[in-house]
Amino acid sequence: MCPATSRGWDTVRIILLGAPGSGKGTQAAKLAECLRAKHIASGDLFREEQAQGTELGLLAKGYMERGELVPNDVTVKMILGRMSQAKGALSCILDGFPRNQEQAAALDQALADAGGPGIDRVIYIEVSEEELVKRLGGRWTCRAHQHPYHVVNAPPKTPGICDIDGSELYQRPDDNEETARRRLQVYFDQTAPLVEHYRAQGILATVDGERTITDVGKDLVAALQ
Ligand code: ADP
């Protein structure tokens, strides 16, 4: 299932691109485990900052509750900081970043300035808008590590409890109907154009995100070969 590390997969940089609810968080976590890569999820990092009550967390909170993007300057700084911690030794999987043209340009520039390798592959997980709306409404997330569940598609073994770490499941405040709709609108306006940005760079692969979690995972690994 996993790409062989002997083929150089120990130092890859992958972006998972997709709408809120496309399953990129689920797939990124599985792929990171498989490749022993660092999973860098911008939304999770912001939620951690909030839980710790940092200045960045406080700033991000309002934007997240409205379903808007957190300003580019602080977001780019946070992600590049995490990537440089992983430098050299590890592959990394970016999940939720970049989310607009300015962030993509900042990432391209930072990698070029570092003189090392750029992004190896961008995988776009394609899901219809109708399915996204359904998924976001039924999503539950674990408090301890943000493991995602869905009432219908991926229910936990014990209701309300995370299978992996036993922590409580909760509904994210930005998964309510109004905010979820705004997040999808922001995605279609600002993030979806990145599909063409990376297609033009010749590093884009598309997988059908409406198959089962296992099948999407297999397609994702196949897209990396
Ligand atoms: P999802 O998994 O549904 O796509 P995330 O957890 O990735 O949601 O993101 C939740 C929120 O965090 C976003 O709606 C946005 O407010 C903020 N956020 C996450 N990533 C970024 C980013 N790259 N740029 C700006 N804001 C971001």
Side-chain angles (χ1 to χ4, degrees):
M1 264 291 287
C2 291
T5 47
S6 59
R7 289 191 52 223
W9 288 106
D10 45 345
T11 53
V12 283
R13 291 199 173 91
I14 297 164
I15 294 174
L16 289 193
L17 199 59
S22 61
K24 54 187 190 323
T26 304
Q27 297 296 342
K30 281 157 66 98
L31 192 64
E33 199 182 348
C34 165
L35 297 176
R36 282 182 227 101
K38 193 172 171 68
H39 175 194
I40 301 179
S42 48
D44 291 353
L45 294 176
F46 285 132
R47 280 183 288 275
E48 275 167 28
E49 297 282 343
Q50 272 180 51
Q52 289 163 16
T54 66
E55 208 175 309
L56 173 58
L58 224 69
L59 170 82
K61 189 168 186 281
Y63 293 97
M64 293 174 78
E65 282 175 356
R66 291 192 300 276
E68 304 289 343
L69 296 185
V70 178
N72 288 331
D73 53 348
V74 291
T75 304
V76 167
K77 196 169 153 211
M78 175 179 80
I79 296 293
L80 294 182
R82 290 293 171 132
M83 286 181 76
S84 71
Q85 283 168 15
K87 204 159 117 195
L90 283 170
S91 297
C92 72
I93 299 174
L94 293 177
D95 160 12
F97 181 92
R99 244 175 165 95
N100 59 26
Q101 296 279 4
E102 196 179 321
Q103 293 180 7
L107 178 62
D108 290 345
Q109 188 63 51
L111 292 173
D113 289 350
I119 298 295
D120 296 275
R121 196 68 56 94
V122 178
I123 304 185
Y124 168 44
I125 306 181
E126 194 172 24
V127 175
S128 70
E129 190 171 356
E130 192 192 345
E131 175 68 16
L132 292 170
V133 172
K134 265 196 259 165
R135 287 188 187 180
L136 289 173
R139 181 155 78 172
W140 288 79
T141 307
C142 112
R143 267 203 203 280
H145 298 102
Q146 325 272 339
H147 297 122
Y149 293 86
H150 187 276
V151 282
V152 179
N153 303 336
K157 291 195 184 92
T158 310
I161 305 288
C162 177
D163 294 349
I164 301 164
D165 59 36
S167 75
E168 178 203 18
L169 302 184
Y170 78 112
Q171 202 154 27
R172 270 173 39 183
D174 59 347
D175 277 346
N176 73 66
E177 202 184 322
E178 192 190 334
T179 313
R181 205 171 300 124
R182 178 68 192 137
R183 284 160 62 211
L184 285 178
Q185 192 184 352
V186 168
Y187 168 78
F188 286 112
D189 288 351
Q190 300 193 40
T191 312
L194 296 183
V195 170
E196 293 314 318
H197 174 89
Y198 290 115
R199 201 194 305 278
Q201 291 186 9
I203 53 174
L204 185 87
T206 301
V207 301
D208 177 359
E210 295 197 31
R211 286 154 52 81
T212 64
I213 293 175
T214 311
D215 285 344
V216 174
K218 283 185 194 157
D219 290 350
L220 222 124
V221 168
L224 289 176
Q225 309 285 350

